[in-house]
């Protein structure tokens, strides 16, 4: 058995970019009110950040779960599925979390061996759980690198095929490596990995997919706070244009009756609710679906769901003790 050790991840030294912080203060105190203060406290204290461990069902997990339990990890989700789903090949997502800000070391790729776990912000599983791909369904992950959500999709079921796309060449290579290190050769034929501009996939493959995930490029709040690149703040205003185009492309790529999940890791209303609202207003035959209360209740023990002034989709915001997120998710159905 490999020896499992968990340690505090954050090395001090990263500095908060004051300009970005001022910008966030102005925007988020308006959009989120009091809720911004608790999110802000977490974002400014990386020592408090928690890390999730997504297990790889394709790898040898002998003793790993016991090792995690011994270290104080517990499962984010119940590991039993309702009876109604047991007839399909649907696997409970095995994501382990710890109440303290500890993390496991990253595993190194060895040819011929599959990595046992992928480290992620546990709120990243929310869009994948919402998409809820079933056995045999054809799925597109439009903005896929480095591949965490593609992997999570493959953990839950065996799709008909899974098209993972990434526009950036460097990140595309990273995506290819991720899929190689976690998915067995026997399932690689289900995968197609491309580096296309996601905005063109809808018109190239209209109606080809049952489900599409748009985990959109966004102003990643956690990372931007620690990046001294204020030029990005100017680009921030342009992101909703790209996000709307990607979401429209996804809606064209999905078949009538199919669903699209739009997600980001920012709290910005302009990149979340306003994008979805604008697309709903301009794209005919699309309906916004609510995440069920049962689903939200299931996750509320671990995630803090924000109260949104504009209640379109759901937003997980970091809070002391529940430091996951930010993660915005909304679910759209193409009616015809
Ligand atoms: C939030 S990240 C995706 C993270 C990924 N889903 C995961 O869970 O590992 C957004 C990605 O979209 C890519 N991207 C940006 N513009 C794109 C476009 N026009 N078409 C496809 N991907 C794009 C970015 O390079 C980035 O890798």
């Amino acid at each position: 058995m490999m020896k499992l050790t968990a340690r505090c991840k954050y090395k001090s030294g990263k500095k908060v970019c004051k300009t970005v912080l001022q910008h966030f203060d102005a925007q988020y105190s308006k959009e989120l009110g009091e809720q911004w203060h608790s999110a802000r406290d977490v974002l400014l204290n990386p020592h408090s950040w928690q890390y999730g461990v997504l297990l790889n069902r394709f790898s040898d997990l002998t003793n790993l779960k016991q090792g995690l339990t011994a270290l104080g990890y517990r499962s984010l989700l119940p590991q039993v599925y309702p009876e109604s789903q047991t007839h399909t090949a649907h696997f409970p997502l095995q994501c382990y979390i710890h109440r303290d800000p500890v993390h496991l070391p990253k595993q190194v790729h060895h040819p011929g061996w599959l990595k046992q776990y992928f480290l992620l912000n546990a709120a990243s599983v929310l869009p994948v759980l919402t998409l809820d791909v079933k056995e045999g369904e054809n799925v597109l992950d439009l903005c896929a690198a480095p591949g965490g959500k593609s992997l999570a999709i493959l953990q839950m079921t065996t799709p008909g095929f899974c098209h993972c796309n990434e526009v950036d060449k460097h990140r595309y290579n990273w995506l290819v490596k991720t899929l190689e290190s976690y998915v067995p050769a026997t399932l690689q034929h289900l995968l197609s990995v491309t580096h296309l501009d996601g905005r063109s996939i809808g018109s190239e493959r209209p109606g080809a997919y049952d489900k599409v995930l748009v985990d959109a490029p966004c102003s990643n709040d956690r990372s931007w706070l620690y990046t001294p690149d204020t030029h990005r703040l100017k680009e921030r205003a342009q992101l909703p244009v790209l996000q709307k185009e990607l979401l429209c492309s996804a809606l064209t790529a999905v078949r009538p009756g199919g669903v699209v999940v739009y997600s980001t890791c920012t709290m910005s209303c302009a990149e979340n609710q306003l994008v979805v609202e604008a697309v709903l207003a301009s794209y005919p035959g699309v309906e916004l679906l609510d995440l069920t209360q049962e689903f939200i209740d299931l996750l509320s023990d671990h995630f803090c769901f924000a109260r949104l002034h504009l209640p379109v989709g759901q937003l997980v915001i970091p809070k002391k003790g529940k430091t996951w997120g930010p993660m915005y998710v909304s679910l759209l159905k193409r009616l015809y």
Side-chain angles (χ1 to χ4, degrees):
M1 176 194 170
M2 66 169 275
K3 191 169 181 308
L4 272 185
T5 45
R7 58 188 164 83
C8 185
K9 180 178 171 94
Y10 189 74
K11 295 191 196 89
S12 51
K14 269 192 182 180
K15 285 212 170 70
V16 171
C17 176
K18 288 208 171 108
T19 316
V20 173
L21 181 60
Q22 278 165 6
H23 185 89
F24 283 4
D25 275 337
Q27 180 180 353
Y28 293 147
S29 51
K30 232 188 268 164
E31 291 177 7
L32 293 165
E34 277 300 306
Q35 302 172 102
W36 164 236
H37 300 302
S38 50
R40 184 184 195 275
D41 286 347
V42 171
L43 294 180
L44 292 181
N45 181 13
H47 294 282
S48 72
W49 295 0
Q50 295 163 281
Y51 297 86
V53 183
L54 178 68
L55 300 195
N56 183 15
R57 72 178 168 103
F58 306 118
S59 181
D60 177 8
L61 299 179
T62 316
N63 298 329
L64 183 68
K65 286 189 212 172
Q66 293 95 315
L68 287 170
T69 310
L71 287 172
Y73 282 87
R74 64 205 159 122
S75 177
L76 174 75
L77 299 160
Q79 291 300 288
V80 186
Y81 262 79
E83 241 172 64
S84 60
Q85 294 188 8
T86 51
H87 62 284
T88 62
H90 210 91
F91 306 95
L93 205 55
Q94 305 179 85
C95 181
Y96 280 72
I97 54 172
H98 201 288
R99 70 185 157 81
D100 299 323
V102 294
H103 89 134
L104 299 181
K106 279 191 179 157
Q107 293 186 316
V108 181
H109 176 71
H110 300 293
W113 177 76
L114 295 174
K115 292 187 188 180
Q116 296 170 298
Y117 57 79
F118 184 91
L119 301 176
L120 78 183
N121 184 319
S124 295
V125 303
L126 187 62
V128 176
L129 292 170
T130 306
L131 194 65
D132 194 20
V133 177
K134 300 282 195 305
E135 186 184 13
E137 285 183 330
N138 297 330
V139 57
L140 166 64
D141 187 354
L142 195 67
C143 308
K149 295 186 186 67
S150 303
L151 268 189
I153 289 170
L154 295 165
Q155 294 307 310
M156 287 180 70
T157 195
T158 307
F161 66 79
C162 182
H163 178 179
C164 310
N165 178 67
E166 167 58 50
V167 75
D168 179 273
K169 185 70 181 31
H170 171 75
R171 290 177 67 86
Y172 160 82
N173 290 336
W174 188 5
L175 172 65
V176 170
K177 275 208 187 105
T178 304
L179 293 170
E180 267 173 24
S181 348
Y182 288 89
V183 183
T186 50
L187 289 186
Q188 290 287 341
H189 67 283
L190 299 179
L191 304 178
S192 122
V193 193
T194 56
H195 67 107
L196 302 168
D197 188 327
R199 289 173 289 186
S200 64
I201 292 183
S203 54
E204 281 164 21
R205 308 205 61 191
Y209 305 91
D210 299 299
K211 291 188 172 160
V212 181
L213 174 62
V214 187
D215 189 37
C218 68
S219 45
N220 179 332
D221 294 340
R222 263 181 208 251
S223 128
W224 279 34
L225 256 184
Y226 294 90
T227 314
D229 179 359
T230 49
H231 186 65
R232 279 178 164 179
L233 288 174
K234 292 190 195 106
E235 291 168 6
R236 195 175 199 214
Q238 290 311 308
L239 277 168
V241 176
L242 172 62
Q243 290 158 341
K244 282 176 216 163
E245 288 171 350
L246 287 166
L247 181 50
C248 286
S249 172
L251 287 165
T252 308
V254 82
R255 65 166 168 83
V259 296
V260 172
V261 165
Y262 175 79
S263 60
T264 72
C265 54
T266 176
M267 294 179 277
S268 171
C269 182
E271 296 178 49
N272 295 336
Q273 299 102 299
L274 294 183
V275 166
V276 174
E277 274 212 327
V279 170
L280 284 169
S282 65
Y283 200 108
V286 179
E287 174 185 52
L288 180 71
L289 301 180
D290 284 332
L291 274 58
T292 67
Q293 193 55 44
E294 193 189 355
F295 179 68
I296 292 172
D297 290 347
L298 175 76
L299 293 167
S300 293
D301 278 351
H302 305 296
F303 297 158
C304 171
F305 287 93
R307 295 176 306 280
L308 298 174
H309 290 317
L310 183 56
V312 175
Q314 293 288 341
L315 174 66
V316 173
I317 51 171
K319 184 183 167 178
K320 195 171 172 217
K322 295 180 177 180
T323 66
W324 313 108
M327 182 58 61
Y328 172 79
V329 63
S330 60
L331 175 62
L332 294 98
K333 180 170 183 173
R334 183 169 160 195
L335 300 174
Y336 53 84

